[in-house]
Amino acid sequence: MASLSAHVRSQAAALMTVAGYDDTTAVNDILADLLATGAACDATTPPWPSDISDDHSPVEFSVALDHGQRPTVRILGEAVADDPGCEANLAAAQRLLQRWSRRYNLDLSRYEKIADLFLSTPPVSPFALWFSLVFRHQHPPQIKVYLNPQCRDAHHSWHLVAEAMQRLGLGAAHRTLASAARRPGAGFSFVALDLHHGARSRIKIYLSHTPTATAEDAVAAAVAVPGIDLDEVAQFCRLAAGDSIGHGARPLVSGFTFVQSDTDQPSGYSLYVPIRCHVTDDAQARDRALTLAHRYGHDAGLIDRAIAGVARRDLADGVGLIPHVSLRLGAHPPGLTVYLSSEAYHATAPRPGFTTA
Ligand code: TRP
């Protein structure tokens, strides 16, 4: 088997080509940093059980389509230390953040306001700090950090997110979110901060619904965001998850987006459907992703080429290459994102007997 870094780099290069970018310098530099952090580099089994993906690869790709813009290629990544562990991985991630902060002139001010809440030592959660690396045509890479509100336990997540939002000037918005989305068994799962300067730099708060949640729960959460097309939220759930919605192994996730001018309400809503829990194999997941691309007027051929660029097997031979699909609603026409697993270590077998509930 090729090394993890060779495998991931070839997939990233394929995605960049599909998205129409010929310069892969930035993505190669960033991946070299991310994957040079340790034992992960040449291992054939995961040295650390990263929760980024089902096979514990420490990266997950996605292609985001928005009307009127070129596609963006994104990589969700976890730094894995030479001698991996919660504390060592956090230290490796913090070193990377400092390096990237200097190289890409990042704005760490919001991160510094809230990081202590989530990075209490010693870290006990499966992850403390993840990165999203976003590549846009003719722009320097944008970097986002994910903090983990479940770093102590699920119960603390409400309190930690309340405090973080308070410190970020979003105390009133927290009350809006809590009243729309607080349900027994649901919990905040990520707090994400864009690290670029400027008014469009976002804060995103993610809520994992209960595993039995259905389109109605997503709609109830989306109510927190003014002007969202609630019927579309429900339609997207049904088209992506099919009849087995509410019976998946992974929950629906709602994302609430804040930009600088938002104080008491979010201005964007995203819904993440773990499509892999609702299909027999990736051929079926692909068909659904293409149907969604057509529905929202996006380039289905590009999605298809992106899937083919990352796949290293037949789509019908496994499930999970397409782990999630997400819809972005807000001021602009709906944006669609398709997530793609690296499967650097392992692919999950199809579920031929999978029947919808
Ligand atoms: N692998 C984890 C999960 O499926 C975390 C994760 C990675 C995730 N990418 C995501 C969660 C996109 C929601 C959306 O839950």
Side-chain angles (χ1 to χ4, degrees):
M1 181 193 154
S3 73
L4 174 71
S5 71
H7 179 91
V8 170
R9 270 190 285 116
S10 80
Q11 292 170 316
L15 279 183
M16 296 297 275
T17 304
V18 167
Y21 305 157
D22 39 23
D23 186 359
T24 50
T25 319
V27 72
N28 279 333
D29 287 352
I30 284 204
L31 282 176
D33 287 342
L34 184 74
L35 300 176
T37 48
C41 202
D42 290 312
T44 51
T45 51
W48 169 253
S50 177
D51 193 37
I52 287 213
S53 55
D54 291 353
D55 77 331
H56 304 309
S57 303
V59 292
E60 178 184 82
F61 301 103
S62 56
V63 177
L65 303 181
D66 287 286
H67 288 278
Q69 286 179 39
R70 314 242 323 209
T72 52
V73 172
R74 295 123 36 109
I75 301 175
L76 177 67
E78 176 166 23
V80 177
D82 287 330
D83 188 6
C86 292
E87 230 160 313
N89 292 353
L90 173 58
Q94 285 172 316
R95 281 194 299 276
L96 273 185
L97 188 59
Q98 292 311 322
R99 173 194 288 229
W100 288 339
S101 174
R102 287 190 296 274
R103 192 191 301 158
Y104 300 113
N105 180 29
L106 303 181
D107 177 1
L108 297 187
S109 55
R110 294 185 303 195
Y111 170 81
E112 280 159 1
K113 270 190 197 148
I114 63 167
D116 65 293
L117 292 170
F118 303 96
L119 305 182
S120 54
T121 47
V124 289
S125 53
F127 91 93
L129 195 58
W130 282 351
F131 297 105
S132 174
L133 313 158
V134 182
F135 301 93
R136 288 173 204 281
H137 195 55
Q138 291 175 344
H139 281 274
Q142 287 186 346
I143 298 180
K144 176 159 109 178
V145 280
Y146 291 84
L147 295 158
N148 182 0
Q150 315 257 346
C151 53
R152 294 184 203 165
D153 55 46
H155 182 70
H156 267 92
S157 79
W158 293 93
H159 166 74
L160 284 181
V161 170
E163 173 66 20
M165 291 182 74
Q166 189 69 40
R167 291 189 193 177
L168 294 167
L170 296 172
H174 178 265
R175 288 187 285 282
T176 310
L177 291 195
S179 68
R182 189 158 191 167
R183 301 276 180 284
F188 289 116
S189 40
F190 306 102
V191 170
L193 302 171
D194 281 349
L195 299 180
H196 55 274
H197 294 264
R200 302 298 306 165
S201 188
R202 299 157 311 161
I203 297 168
K204 269 183 98 168
I205 309 287
Y206 296 78
L207 178 101
S208 287
H209 293 272
T210 62
T212 53
T214 61
E216 285 64 42
D217 298 272
V219 166
V223 166
V225 190
I228 295 301
D229 182 343
L230 301 175
D231 288 340
E232 206 47 66
V233 170
Q235 276 301 330
F236 180 77
C237 275
R238 295 195 188 103
L239 288 169
D243 298 339
S244 67
I245 189 162
H247 300 270
R250 293 274 187 169
L252 296 172
V253 175
S254 285
F256 303 93
T257 303
F258 299 88
V259 291
Q260 211 172 63
S261 47
D262 301 328
T263 49
D264 46 6
Q265 285 171 316
S267 55
Y269 175 76
S270 309
L271 179 64
Y272 303 80
V273 176
I275 188 170
R276 68 194 183 289
C277 302
H278 300 280
V279 291
T280 303
D281 57 34
D282 287 308
Q284 191 183 11
R286 165 194 173 270
D287 289 348
R288 288 196 193 166
L290 300 195
T291 301
L292 292 168
H294 286 300
R295 178 177 182 85
Y296 299 107
H298 291 297
D299 185 346
L302 190 142
I303 297 286
D304 206 20
R305 292 193 297 282
I307 296 169
V310 170
R312 296 290 179 268
R313 59 167 170 82
D314 281 352
L315 297 184
D317 286 349
V319 65
L321 182 76
I322 308 171
H324 318 265
V325 287
S326 76
L327 187 72
R328 254 181 320 289
L329 297 169
H332 304 288
L336 179 70
T337 302
V338 176
Y339 292 77
L340 296 163
S341 302
S342 175
E343 293 190 343
Y345 298 118
H346 177 73
T348 304
R351 290 184 288 260
F354 180 83
T355 47
T356 53

